[in-house]
Amino acid sequence: MVQFESWASFFAMGGHGLYVWLAYGATFLVLAISYLSVRGARKRLQQELSWLSGEGGGATQEEETKL
Amino acid sequence: MLTLVELACKRDERTLFAPLSETVTPGECVALAGSNGSGKTTLLRTLAGIHSQFEGSFQCEPFLYQGHRIALDELLNPLENLHWFGALDGRTVSDDALRDALARVDMLPYALTPCGRMSQGQQRRITMARWLLSARKLWFLDEPLTALDRQGQVVLNDIIASHIDAGGAVFCATHASLDVAAREITLAPLTEAP
Amino acid sequence: MSFTSSIKTLWHKLGSPRWFYQMSGPWVIGFGIAALVLLGVGAVWALGFAPPDYQQGNSFRIMYVHVPAAMVAQSIYMSMGVAGLVLFVWRMKLADVAIAACLPLGMVLTALALFSGGVWGKPTWGTWWEWDGRTVSTLVLLFLFIGIYALREAIEDAGLKARASALVAMIGTINIPIIKYSVEWWHTLHQPASFTLTEKPAMPPEMYLPLLVMVLGMYAFAGHNIISRMRNQILVRESRTHWVREAMATGG
Amino acid sequence: MGGLLRREWQVLARNRAQVINPLAFLFLAVMLFAVGGPLEDNTRAQYGGAVLWLIVLLTNMLSLDALFRRDYDNGVLEQVVCGADVPFLVILLRIGMQWLSTGALVTLLAPFLCLLLGLPGHVTATAMLALALGSPAISLLGAVGAALTVGFSRGGILLGLLVLPLLLPVLIFGTSAINQEVAGITNNAQLYWLGFISMVALTIGPFATTAGLRISLQMQ
């Protein structure tokens, strides 16, 4: 059952709101960044390689996908 | 003595030359020619078991490898070095064998001077003495002629010739041609990996 | 086909990055959806429905984020050790792709665990950093990750980079139990055996279940993230092959 | 075997700086700590053990950096890897020599170090025992780091980064062995643990070092 009476007390978290939301925010932010960076790298690769497949030859710019 | 089956060495995941298949029989000298960077050194280091990135396969009996580096401890004198290399092979080198080897390369007077104080050419001669003392029949030599003066080159060719006559085999990478009759292999560098 | 022969063929297939690339497509989507659902449900459950801790109140909810990050980070390091063993013994190229893919996420999750641990410590003990058994072993884990990362940066040759990081990952994995035990032992020496926040007390189910969901969600996310990084790595490394060209042309 | 060992002694005899410099640094660092630290004797005894082990660890890192560098540069290491029937033995000998010139020597000098660090007299025996049991692990695991970083010109930093996290247990058990001796509590558990860690290091160290050297040799 729900632990909090109102949305206000939910956000206040009994006084520890700052820390709880800081921890959750950081976690989901980091997960989101990690997901987006991987998806971005894939998109960049797709453009590079599909552009090249038209060319049929030559090496892509060899770069290790970082984060 | 040495058989290569479709051997192709790789460096940084790139194949350096077209796959090579060769056999080297006792009493044969094979010269490995090829432009700089065609992979001669990498091939020799692969056969010596140092380089481990390759495709295909090869079998070889116990061998002696001489790379670009002198492979002598500069703090020790020739006698100590040669004793140690003997111990590396699990053998104890007798003194007169040592004396003969050093005499053969005209380095007997330098037997006790630390190798660090010798010139590059003199150190090369000491490594030639090491070849003579090693019991290995198959020699891998990488650019043996470097830093040798005229007299040194005569000694080198003489050593290789007598090694071949004694039933040994030499597989060496060299630019300058050896006096000994040698079968040539050229490495076809791969410009664009398939 | 008998069980062992199907394992053999699977093992053989794993050798070719192409097969892995084609096979892993649905896995990435599967893990992605599982992560989304589990993390979403877990977060709502942990924040809204799990009971607060009788001693710490609501700051206890940070555990539902801190523990999964630390656990998954350590599992990632262990799997890098296993991949290292596979690379060393069977010389499988895919193992290095796995190590390269695991490394960034492992480092990020370890740092995240340290951060959320600190944020959790502030309301509980009044300090942002507490030299506690768990925090120190997580910090050591971060240094083990950084060691591998620094070694990979220092080596240019791809083949040597793979073997060197495989060796360090294996040695690190062997040492993790010893390090963990010695740090825990060191901590109990310094901290009189009061209620240590990081000792998992026997939690009632309504506390334990959301944690389980969050941990599974984090593992699912790690699976999704690492496999898609591996796919990117394969595209980079096999960029000259024709199958990559076709895959890219058809948007595979 | 004898011939291999003879060369190690010859190199050690002719390159004494390799042994003397780390020891000089050891005593210098102890002096710096003693001068920098608090003056009252009772507090100094509490952190004496930690200081001793920390300095032993860091001095070892200095001497480990040069462990294979000379043989790597002059080509002798190539001959060990491709020429010798059992390269593992030659490398184990080299690590043993490095331990002798750092770990064993520090164990013998422990009485002086304990004196300088203000540790009470009865602690010296335990400190020597702990150092004797723990220092092999430092050399054996450190050799793996030395093997992997010999190819880089500024390998020292990376060597510490790779090896020191693995040596945390040695620091923990070594320090608490001495601290508990200062407090008079029995510390057999710590000594057993130090011995155990050294045994683990002995089983994986030489093999991992040989593998590391094979990797570094391909970088030449």
Side-chain angles (χ1 to χ4, degrees):
Chain A
M1 49 73 180
V2 184
Q3 295 295 329
F4 298 94
E5 310 76 29
S6 68
W7 282 106
S9 72
F10 175 69
F11 286 114
M13 277 284 167
H16 292 155
L18 167 68
Y19 305 110
V20 172
W21 296 115
L22 189 61
Y24 276 75
T27 302
F28 286 101
L29 186 67
V30 160
L31 295 189
I33 292 172
S34 180
Y35 168 74
L36 291 175
S37 81
V38 170
R39 210 159 62 91
R42 181 172 169 78
K43 274 221 168 17
R44 227 185 11 262
L45 268 171
Q46 242 160 354
Q47 277 142 17
E48 244 176 57
L49 290 173
S50 58
W51 181 79
L52 267 173
S53 62
E55 296 307 309
T60 64
Q61 185 247 337
E62 288 287 311
E63 40 96 18
E64 189 103 8
T65 46
K66 284 284 180 282
L67 275 179
Chain B
M1 232 171 178
L2 164 71
T3 47
L4 281 68
V5 177
E6 293 299 321
L7 184 68
C9 303
K10 295 200 298 181
R11 188 174 276 276
D12 201 2
E13 306 284 310
R14 270 201 194 77
T15 316
L16 297 175
F17 48 79
L20 194 64
S21 299
E22 281 298 332
T23 51
V24 176
T25 54
E28 199 182 4
C29 173
V30 175
L32 193 58
S35 58
N36 291 13
S38 62
K40 297 199 299 293
T41 301
T42 313
L43 173 60
L44 281 177
R45 287 173 77 87
T46 306
L47 297 176
I50 298 168
H51 197 78
S52 64
Q53 294 170 63
F54 59 86
E55 278 145 7
S57 66
F58 66 93
Q59 285 88 28
C60 67
E61 55 168 70
F63 55 86
L64 171 117
Y65 169 73
Q66 177 60 53
H68 291 304
R69 286 179 169 69
I70 295 293
L72 287 177
D73 191 328
E74 59 273 10
L75 288 174
L76 274 62
N77 62 39
L79 287 186
E80 288 157 348
N81 266 305
L82 294 174
H83 270 303
W84 186 74
F85 279 112
L88 205 59
D89 270 354
R91 293 178 297 105
T92 52
V93 184
S94 68
D95 275 350
D96 38 35
L98 261 173
R99 197 169 293 110
D100 299 346
L102 285 176
R104 183 83 181 277
V105 292
D106 312 333
M107 289 298 286
L108 202 49
Y110 297 90
L112 297 174
T113 47
C115 294
R117 279 210 282 279
M118 292 182 191
S119 75
Q120 182 86 339
Q122 288 169 324
Q123 289 181 5
R124 279 275 165 189
R125 289 169 178 248
I126 302 292
T127 51
M128 282 199 266
R130 175 171 73 88
W131 307 347
L132 292 171
L133 289 168
S134 98
R136 306 287 173 94
K137 282 278 164 279
L138 174 61
W139 286 3
F140 294 132
L141 309 177
D142 197 346
E143 313 279 353
L145 287 166
T146 45
L148 281 180
D149 53 20
R150 175 136 309 289
Q151 226 286 326
Q153 286 170 14
V154 168
V155 171
L156 174 71
N157 285 310
D158 174 36
I159 286 176
I160 290 182
S162 57
H163 179 68
I164 299 284
D165 301 344
V170 171
F171 191 94
C172 96
T174 178
H175 288 298
S177 65
L178 291 166
D179 299 356
V180 181
R183 180 159 63 88
E184 266 217 11
I185 303 172
T186 47
L187 291 180
L190 283 171
T191 47
E192 178 40 74
Chain C
M1 247 195 323
S2 74
F3 180 70
T4 47
S5 69
S6 63
I7 289 292
K8 257 194 209 52
T9 46
L10 171 69
W11 187 263
H12 179 65
K13 278 191 186 149
L14 267 178
S16 92
R18 173 179 187 180
W19 178 79
F20 176 83
Y21 184 83
Q22 279 145 1
M23 180 278 294
S24 59
W27 282 94
V28 168
I29 299 160
F31 273 127
I33 296 167
L36 215 59
V37 166
L38 285 171
L39 286 177
V41 165
V44 167
W45 190 346
L47 283 170
F49 297 91
D53 181 73
Y54 65 91
Q55 256 189 338
Q56 301 166 23
N58 283 316
S59 69
F60 184 72
R61 296 181 194 286
I62 298 177
M63 175 193 77
Y64 295 110
V65 172
H66 171 70
V67 169
M71 274 174 74
V72 170
Q74 189 183 313
S75 321
I76 288 177
Y77 192 90
M78 295 283 192
S79 50
M80 282 167 73
V82 170
L85 185 73
V86 166
L87 184 99
F88 244 81
V89 175
W90 290 283
R91 288 182 185 273
M92 198 180 279
K93 229 162 74 163
L94 203 64
D96 179 55
V97 170
I99 290 180
C102 284
L103 197 52
L105 186 66
M107 276 164 59
V108 158
L109 282 184
T110 318
L112 184 65
L114 286 171
F115 175 77
S116 53
V119 167
W120 189 2
K122 182 70 179 131
T124 322
W125 289 324
T127 61
W128 287 102
W129 176 256
E130 175 57 40
W131 285 104
D132 160 273
R134 283 299 160 75
T135 47
V136 171
S137 39
T138 316
L139 195 57
V140 168
L141 188 67
L142 184 61
F143 283 121
L144 292 178
F145 273 118
I146 291 172
I148 296 181
Y149 190 83
L151 187 64
R152 285 184 75 91
E153 290 302 310
I155 303 175
E156 293 85 21
D157 183 300
L160 298 182
K161 194 198 292 252
R163 293 178 65 81
S165 42
L167 186 67
V168 172
M170 275 193 286
I171 293 176
T173 310
I174 293 172
N175 276 287
I176 277 191
I178 303 176
I179 294 176
K180 263 211 163 327
Y181 177 80
S182 64
V183 167
E184 290 294 331
W185 180 85
W186 165 79
H187 167 65
T188 49
L189 195 68
H190 286 253
Q191 175 101 18
S194 69
F195 164 74
T196 52
L197 141 89
T198 47
E199 278 320 307
K200 268 211 210 65
M203 277 191 281
E206 63 271 15
M207 269 191 182
Y208 186 72
L209 285 177
L211 179 61
L212 188 62
V213 169
M214 284 297 280
V215 165
L216 292 176
M218 194 62 90
Y219 272 111
F221 176 82
H224 164 79
N225 198 276
I226 287 173
I227 293 179
S228 36
R229 277 181 211 274
M230 284 176 80
R231 287 162 61 87
N232 287 354
Q233 286 280 331
I234 290 172
L235 289 181
V236 169
R237 294 177 191 215
E238 310 281 331
S239 55
R240 280 200 208 78
T241 59
H242 61 279
W243 67 269
V244 166
R245 296 287 161 74
E246 284 142 21
M248 285 301 108
T250 59
Chain D
M1 176 72 174
L4 297 176
L5 200 57
R6 187 133 46 87
R7 175 184 171 232
E8 298 296 335
W9 283 111
Q10 284 158 356
V11 167
L12 209 60
R14 297 194 188 140
N15 194 357
R16 268 190 293 280
Q18 213 183 354
V19 178
I20 307 294
N21 295 355
L23 280 187
F25 177 82
L26 187 76
F27 278 89
L28 173 66
V30 166
M31 184 199 76
L32 294 179
F33 254 97
V35 168
L39 291 180
E40 315 81 45
D41 264 351
N42 53 27
T43 52
R44 186 179 291 170
Q46 267 138 28
Y47 67 82
V51 167
L52 179 65
W53 274 98
L54 264 176
I55 293 177
V56 165
L57 268 173
L58 297 177
T59 332
N60 249 300
M61 289 303 125
L62 292 178
S63 78
L64 278 168
D65 187 40
L67 190 61
F68 297 115
R69 202 167 289 283
R70 233 166 46 78
D71 286 0
Y72 182 81
D73 293 339
N74 61 25
V76 168
L77 208 54
E78 271 172 6
Q79 298 304 330
V80 167
V81 165
C82 72
D85 317 339
V86 183
F88 161 83
L89 186 64
V90 180
I91 287 161
L92 186 62
L93 266 178
R94 170 56 56 90
I95 299 174
M97 288 309 290
Q98 194 271 344
W99 177 72
L100 272 181
S101 62
T102 52
L105 220 52
V106 166
T107 309
L108 293 179
L109 293 172
F112 305 106
L113 291 168
C114 290
L115 201 63
L116 289 175
L117 286 167
L119 291 166
H122 62 84
V123 173
T124 327
T126 314
M128 289 178 79
L129 192 54
L131 281 169
L133 286 170
S135 53
I138 300 176
S139 297
L140 284 158
L141 287 177
V144 180
L148 280 168
T149 59
V150 69
F152 315 133
S153 49
R154 300 167 314 286
I157 310 278
L158 192 52
L159 168 66
L161 198 59
L162 286 176
V163 167
L164 286 175
L166 302 177
L167 289 173
L168 194 64
V170 173
L171 179 67
I172 289 176
F173 287 120
T175 312
S176 78
I178 294 179
N179 291 347
Q180 289 201 337
E181 182 60 32
V182 168
I185 315 163
T186 68
N187 46 37
N188 300 346
Q190 288 88 338
L191 297 177
Y192 283 126
W193 263 102
L194 285 173
F196 164 71
I197 294 169
S198 287
M199 284 309 118
V200 169
L202 186 60
T203 42
I204 56 174
F207 300 102
T209 308
T210 315
L213 287 174
R214 280 189 190 283
I215 293 172
S216 296
L217 277 169
Q218 291 179 51
M219 288 184 212
Q220 267 174 343

